[in-house]
Short mmCIF file of all heavy atoms in Angstrom, two decimals:
data_model
loop_
_atom_site.label_atom_id
_atom_site.label_comp_id
_atom_site.label_asym_id
_atom_site.label_seq_id
_atom_site.Cartn_x
_atom_site.Cartn_y
_atom_site.Cartn_z
N HIS A 1 -3.79 -5.36 -4.09
CA HIS A 1 -5.14 -5.82 -3.77
C HIS A 1 -5.79 -4.80 -2.84
O HIS A 1 -5.11 -4.22 -1.97
CB HIS A 1 -5.09 -7.19 -3.09
CG HIS A 1 -6.43 -7.86 -3.00
ND1 HIS A 1 -7.32 -7.57 -1.99
CD2 HIS A 1 -7.04 -8.78 -3.78
CE1 HIS A 1 -8.42 -8.30 -2.15
NE2 HIS A 1 -8.27 -9.03 -3.23
N LYS A 2 -7.08 -4.60 -2.98
CA LYS A 2 -7.77 -3.57 -2.19
C LYS A 2 -7.63 -3.80 -0.68
O LYS A 2 -7.61 -2.85 0.09
CB LYS A 2 -9.24 -3.47 -2.59
CG LYS A 2 -10.07 -4.69 -2.25
CD LYS A 2 -11.50 -4.52 -2.65
CE LYS A 2 -12.32 -5.73 -2.24
NZ LYS A 2 -13.72 -5.56 -2.50
N ASP A 3 -7.49 -5.04 -0.25
CA ASP A 3 -7.36 -5.34 1.18
C ASP A 3 -6.00 -4.94 1.76
O ASP A 3 -5.81 -4.96 2.97
CB ASP A 3 -7.60 -6.83 1.44
CG ASP A 3 -9.02 -7.26 1.11
OD1 ASP A 3 -9.92 -6.38 1.09
OD2 ASP A 3 -9.24 -8.46 0.86
N GLN A 4 -5.06 -4.60 0.90
CA GLN A 4 -3.72 -4.22 1.36
C GLN A 4 -3.59 -2.72 1.65
O GLN A 4 -2.58 -2.30 2.22
CB GLN A 4 -2.67 -4.59 0.29
CG GLN A 4 -2.55 -6.06 0.03
CD GLN A 4 -1.64 -6.34 -1.16
OE1 GLN A 4 -1.63 -5.59 -2.13
NE2 GLN A 4 -0.88 -7.42 -1.06
N VAL A 5 -4.57 -1.92 1.28
CA VAL A 5 -4.44 -0.46 1.37
C VAL A 5 -4.18 -0.01 2.81
O VAL A 5 -3.16 0.62 3.11
CB VAL A 5 -5.67 0.26 0.78
CG1 VAL A 5 -5.58 1.75 1.02
CG2 VAL A 5 -5.80 -0.04 -0.71
N VAL A 6 -5.08 -0.30 3.71
CA VAL A 6 -4.95 0.18 5.10
C VAL A 6 -3.71 -0.40 5.77
O VAL A 6 -2.92 0.36 6.36
CB VAL A 6 -6.25 -0.10 5.90
CG1 VAL A 6 -6.04 0.22 7.37
CG2 VAL A 6 -7.40 0.71 5.33
N PRO A 7 -3.46 -1.73 5.72
CA PRO A 7 -2.26 -2.24 6.37
C PRO A 7 -0.96 -1.65 5.81
O PRO A 7 -0.02 -1.40 6.56
CB PRO A 7 -2.31 -3.75 6.12
CG PRO A 7 -3.71 -4.06 5.75
CD PRO A 7 -4.28 -2.81 5.16
N THR A 8 -0.93 -1.40 4.51
CA THR A 8 0.29 -0.85 3.91
C THR A 8 0.52 0.59 4.34
O THR A 8 1.65 0.98 4.65
CB THR A 8 0.22 -0.95 2.37
OG1 THR A 8 0.02 -2.33 2.01
CG2 THR A 8 1.48 -0.45 1.72
N VAL A 9 -0.54 1.38 4.39
CA VAL A 9 -0.40 2.77 4.84
C VAL A 9 0.04 2.80 6.31
O VAL A 9 0.92 3.57 6.69
CB VAL A 9 -1.70 3.56 4.61
CG1 VAL A 9 -1.63 4.92 5.29
CG2 VAL A 9 -1.98 3.72 3.12
N LEU A 10 -0.55 1.95 7.14
CA LEU A 10 -0.16 1.88 8.55
C LEU A 10 1.30 1.44 8.70
O LEU A 10 2.05 1.98 9.54
CB LEU A 10 -1.08 0.94 9.32
CG LEU A 10 -2.52 1.43 9.49
CD1 LEU A 10 -3.38 0.36 10.16
CD2 LEU A 10 -2.56 2.73 10.28
N LYS A 11 1.73 0.48 7.89
CA LYS A 11 3.12 0.02 7.91
C LYS A 11 4.06 1.17 7.55
O LYS A 11 5.11 1.34 8.16
CB LYS A 11 3.29 -1.13 6.92
CG LYS A 11 4.63 -1.78 6.93
CD LYS A 11 4.64 -2.97 5.97
CE LYS A 11 5.96 -3.69 5.98
NZ LYS A 11 5.95 -4.86 5.08
N SER A 12 3.66 1.97 6.59
CA SER A 12 4.46 3.12 6.18
C SER A 12 4.59 4.13 7.32
O SER A 12 5.69 4.62 7.61
CB SER A 12 3.81 3.80 4.96
OG SER A 12 4.40 5.04 4.71
N ILE A 13 3.49 4.43 7.96
CA ILE A 13 3.50 5.40 9.06
C ILE A 13 4.35 4.89 10.22
O ILE A 13 5.15 5.64 10.79
CB ILE A 13 2.06 5.71 9.52
CG1 ILE A 13 1.31 6.44 8.40
CG2 ILE A 13 2.05 6.51 10.81
CD1 ILE A 13 -0.20 6.53 8.62
N LYS A 14 4.22 3.61 10.56
CA LYS A 14 4.97 3.04 11.67
C LYS A 14 6.47 2.98 11.39
O LYS A 14 7.27 2.99 12.32
CB LYS A 14 4.44 1.64 12.00
CG LYS A 14 3.09 1.65 12.66
CD LYS A 14 2.58 0.24 12.92
CE LYS A 14 1.17 0.28 13.47
NZ LYS A 14 0.60 -1.06 13.63
N SER A 15 6.86 2.92 10.13
CA SER A 15 8.28 2.80 9.80
C SER A 15 9.06 4.07 10.12
O SER A 15 10.27 4.02 10.30
CB SER A 15 8.46 2.45 8.32
OG SER A 15 8.25 3.60 7.51
N LYS A 16 8.37 5.21 10.15
CA LYS A 16 9.00 6.51 10.42
C LYS A 16 10.14 6.79 9.45
O LYS A 16 11.12 7.43 9.80
CB LYS A 16 9.46 6.60 11.87
CG LYS A 16 8.30 6.49 12.84
CD LYS A 16 8.72 6.73 14.25
CE LYS A 16 7.48 6.61 15.13
NZ LYS A 16 7.71 6.97 16.49
N ARG A 17 10.00 6.28 8.22
CA ARG A 17 10.97 6.52 7.16
C ARG A 17 10.23 7.09 5.97
O ARG A 17 9.05 6.81 5.77
CB ARG A 17 11.64 5.20 6.74
CG ARG A 17 12.51 4.60 7.81
CD ARG A 17 13.10 3.28 7.39
NE ARG A 17 13.87 3.37 6.16
CZ ARG A 17 14.16 2.33 5.39
NH1 ARG A 17 13.73 1.13 5.71
NH2 ARG A 17 14.86 2.48 4.30
N PRO A 18 10.92 7.87 5.14
CA PRO A 18 10.28 8.31 3.89
C PRO A 18 9.89 7.07 3.08
O PRO A 18 10.68 6.14 2.93
CB PRO A 18 11.38 9.10 3.18
CG PRO A 18 12.35 9.47 4.25
CD PRO A 18 12.27 8.39 5.28
N THR A 19 8.66 7.06 2.60
CA THR A 19 8.13 5.86 1.94
C THR A 19 7.37 6.24 0.67
O THR A 19 6.63 7.22 0.65
CB THR A 19 7.17 5.11 2.88
OG1 THR A 19 7.85 4.81 4.10
CG2 THR A 19 6.66 3.82 2.27
N ILE A 20 7.57 5.41 -0.35
CA ILE A 20 6.74 5.50 -1.56
C ILE A 20 5.90 4.23 -1.60
O ILE A 20 6.42 3.13 -1.50
CB ILE A 20 7.59 5.60 -2.85
CG1 ILE A 20 8.36 6.91 -2.87
CG2 ILE A 20 6.69 5.47 -4.08
CD1 ILE A 20 9.28 7.05 -4.07
N ILE A 21 4.59 4.41 -1.73
CA ILE A 21 3.67 3.28 -1.89
C ILE A 21 3.18 3.28 -3.33
O ILE A 21 2.54 4.22 -3.77
CB ILE A 21 2.48 3.36 -0.93
CG1 ILE A 21 2.95 3.39 0.52
CG2 ILE A 21 1.52 2.19 -1.17
CD1 ILE A 21 1.84 3.61 1.53
N ASP A 22 3.53 2.23 -4.05
CA ASP A 22 3.09 2.06 -5.43
C ASP A 22 1.74 1.36 -5.41
O ASP A 22 1.65 0.17 -5.13
CB ASP A 22 4.12 1.24 -6.21
CG ASP A 22 3.74 1.02 -7.67
OD1 ASP A 22 2.72 1.57 -8.12
OD2 ASP A 22 4.48 0.30 -8.35
N CYS A 23 0.68 2.10 -5.69
CA CYS A 23 -0.68 1.58 -5.68
C CYS A 23 -1.02 1.18 -7.12
O CYS A 23 -1.42 2.01 -7.93
CB CYS A 23 -1.62 2.65 -5.15
SG CYS A 23 -3.27 2.09 -4.86
N ASP A 24 -0.80 -0.09 -7.44
CA ASP A 24 -0.95 -0.60 -8.80
C ASP A 24 -2.43 -0.82 -9.11
O ASP A 24 -3.01 -1.87 -8.84
CB ASP A 24 -0.17 -1.90 -8.95
CG ASP A 24 -0.04 -2.36 -10.38
OD1 ASP A 24 -0.98 -2.14 -11.17
OD2 ASP A 24 1.01 -2.94 -10.72
N ILE A 25 -3.05 0.19 -9.70
CA ILE A 25 -4.49 0.19 -9.95
C ILE A 25 -4.94 -0.99 -10.80
O ILE A 25 -5.95 -1.63 -10.52
CB ILE A 25 -4.92 1.52 -10.61
CG1 ILE A 25 -4.66 2.69 -9.67
CG2 ILE A 25 -6.37 1.48 -11.03
CD1 ILE A 25 -5.37 2.61 -8.35
N GLU A 26 -4.19 -1.31 -11.85
CA GLU A 26 -4.61 -2.41 -12.72
C GLU A 26 -4.63 -3.74 -11.99
O GLU A 26 -5.55 -4.53 -12.13
CB GLU A 26 -3.72 -2.46 -13.95
CG GLU A 26 -3.92 -1.26 -14.83
CD GLU A 26 -3.52 -1.49 -16.26
OE1 GLU A 26 -3.03 -2.58 -16.60
OE2 GLU A 26 -3.71 -0.56 -17.05
N LYS A 27 -3.60 -4.02 -11.16
CA LYS A 27 -3.58 -5.27 -10.40
C LYS A 27 -4.66 -5.28 -9.32
O LYS A 27 -5.24 -6.32 -9.04
CB LYS A 27 -2.20 -5.50 -9.80
CG LYS A 27 -1.18 -5.90 -10.84
CD LYS A 27 0.15 -6.22 -10.23
CE LYS A 27 1.13 -6.59 -11.32
NZ LYS A 27 2.49 -6.75 -10.82
N ILE A 28 -4.92 -4.13 -8.72
CA ILE A 28 -5.98 -4.06 -7.70
C ILE A 28 -7.32 -4.40 -8.32
O ILE A 28 -8.10 -5.17 -7.77
CB ILE A 28 -6.01 -2.66 -7.04
CG1 ILE A 28 -4.78 -2.48 -6.17
CG2 ILE A 28 -7.29 -2.48 -6.23
CD1 ILE A 28 -4.61 -1.07 -5.63
N ILE A 29 -7.61 -3.83 -9.47
CA ILE A 29 -8.88 -4.10 -10.14
C ILE A 29 -9.01 -5.57 -10.50
O ILE A 29 -10.03 -6.20 -10.23
CB ILE A 29 -9.04 -3.19 -11.38
CG1 ILE A 29 -9.28 -1.75 -10.93
CG2 ILE A 29 -10.18 -3.67 -12.28
CD1 ILE A 29 -9.23 -0.73 -12.05
N LYS A 30 -7.94 -6.16 -11.04
CA LYS A 30 -7.98 -7.58 -11.44
C LYS A 30 -8.07 -8.50 -10.23
O LYS A 30 -8.88 -9.42 -10.19
CB LYS A 30 -6.76 -7.93 -12.27
CG LYS A 30 -6.79 -7.33 -13.66
CD LYS A 30 -5.53 -7.65 -14.42
CE LYS A 30 -5.52 -6.93 -15.75
NZ LYS A 30 -4.24 -7.07 -16.45
#
C-alpha cells in the first residue's frame, strides 16, 4: 500500500541489516 513506503524504508534503515524491500506495484495500485 502506498502508505507503507516511508515507514518501511525507515524500518529498513533502523534495522542496520541488509534488507530487500519488495514493492509490489500491482497490490499498491489496487
Side-chain angles (χ1 to χ4, degrees):
H1 192 277
K2 67 180 183 175
D3 295 338
Q4 296 172 324
V5 174
V6 172
T8 302
V9 171
L10 291 174
K11 185 176 182 179
S12 169
I13 293 168
K14 289 178 185 175
S15 77
K16 298 186 180 187
R17 293 177 57 200
T19 305
I20 294 177
I21 301 174
D22 180 4
C23 189
D24 191 326
I25 297 301
E26 293 203 358
K27 287 184 181 172
I28 290 171
I29 289 171
K30 288 178 186 173

